Amino acid sequence: GAVVSQHPSWVICKSGTSVKIECRSLDFQATTMFWYRQFPKQSLMLMATSNEGSKATYEQGVEKDKFLINHASLTLSTLTVTSAHPEDSSFYICSARGIRDLSYEQYFGPGTRLTVT
Amino acid sequence: RKEVEQDPGPFNVPEGATVAFNCTYSNSASQSFFWYRQDCRKEPKLLMSVYSSGNEDGRFTAQLNRASQYISLLIRDSKLSDSATYLCVVRYNTDKLIFGTGTRLQVFP
């Protein structure tokens, strides 16, 4: 099946710093990638949808200037959490949809656990 | 009201038991329906899609009632390895997935 990787798998950073998370589709080209966030005991919440070569579409309540998304190629999207605060500590998961995937199935990465101290 | 609602559980059942999870969704324009499984601190994995006619995959049976906006998952002959959180997911338009908070299942020996 399709494989999506994320890097890093976990990160601890100090408040005020920025953290970049990478999402890669390893064996397929992804026209669309999605970024989700999951707080403990809560559901995955879609943060933004990114299409290769265009600006990301953010969900209501998600600050685009704080969560910078870049989808520069068909296999890579990055999420940068700028000026991180402890309340940004969460499990960030990306997913990707293939360029020829008519089923619209999303393939999920293994997630990145962010802890801001 | 949440878009996708599930009983959070936990459901504690012995091996071999049959257990059923329910889910309701609020948006009647929802087009596709899924059950995902999520293990602790891991990404969700697609368990099965849910079709109007109902569908079965081994020990798992999913049902959809569009009129009541209700989805169910039945697990027969529970195994220890079935212990996980089961996420009810709906999709409307082509991309956006809406996740429920999940129902936690714990199967004990």
Side-chain angles (χ1 to χ4, degrees):
Chain A
V3 179
V4 176
S5 71
Q6 275 184 249
H7 178 79
S9 54
W10 60 269
V11 57
I12 301 172
C13 72
K14 292 192 175 183
S15 191
T17 60
S18 295
V19 174
K20 180 186 282 189
I21 302 170
E22 292 185 350
C23 177
R24 291 181 187 273
S25 55
L26 297 184
D27 53 357
F28 68 102
Q29 292 183 318
T31 45
T32 306
M33 288 187 171
F34 307 86
W35 287 96
Y36 295 85
R37 179 167 56 179
Q38 185 177 33
F39 292 107
K41 297 188 191 271
Q42 295 188 26
S43 59
L44 273 76
M45 297 296 294
L46 180 65
M47 298 175 68
T49 302
S50 76
N51 292 294
E52 185 264 339
S54 62
K55 287 185 180 180
T57 302
Y58 290 80
E59 293 299 302
Q60 193 173 11
V62 178
E63 298 174 59
K64 62 180 181 173
D65 294 329
K66 180 170 178 64
F67 298 99
L68 302 178
I69 291 172
N70 184 282
H71 192 164
S73 78
L74 284 172
T75 59
L76 173 65
S77 175
T78 60
L79 167 69
T80 301
V81 183
T82 62
S83 187
H85 289 284
E87 58 265 31
D88 297 323
S89 299
S90 187
F91 190 44
Y92 291 85
I93 307 175
C94 73
S95 69
R97 181 160 65 79
I99 196 167
R100 286 185 292 275
D101 192 337
L102 298 180
S103 70
Y104 297 104
E105 182 171 352
Q106 294 181 25
Y107 302 96
F108 285 85
T112 297
R113 195 159 298 279
L114 170 65
T115 302
V116 185
T117 60
Chain B
R1 185 186 171 190
K2 291 179 185 173
E3 291 184 84
V4 179
E5 297 213 49
Q6 295 181 250
D7 179 345
F11 285 61
N12 297 304
V13 303
E15 273 187 289
T18 295
V19 61
F21 305 138
N22 303 319
C23 165
T24 56
Y25 60 95
S26 61
N27 191 330
S28 59
S30 299
Q31 297 177 337
S32 306
F33 309 88
F34 311 91
W35 283 101
Y36 277 73
R37 171 195 168 125
Q38 186 174 27
D39 291 286
C40 189
R41 295 178 170 262
K42 300 280 190 182
E43 78 277 21
K45 293 186 190 284
L46 179 64
L47 181 65
M48 57 197 303
S49 300
V50 188
Y51 304 113
S52 298
S53 54
N55 48 298
E56 191 174 303
D57 183 0
R59 297 180 294 108
F60 300 85
T61 301
Q63 299 254 326
L64 166 65
N65 184 322
R66 283 188 184 267
S68 303
Q69 295 180 198
Y70 171 95
I71 307 160
S72 66
L73 176 68
L74 183 78
I75 305 176
R76 289 182 300 278
D77 189 23
S78 298
K79 311 288 185 195
L80 294 175
S81 57
D82 293 334
S83 298
T85 297
Y86 290 83
L87 307 173
C88 177
V89 183
V90 305
R91 182 174 69 205
Y92 46 84
N93 71 38
T94 53
D95 283 337
K96 188 169 178 176
L97 296 181
I98 307 297
F99 286 79
T101 51
T103 298
R104 191 161 150 247
L105 172 66
Q106 184 67 50
V107 182
F108 59 87

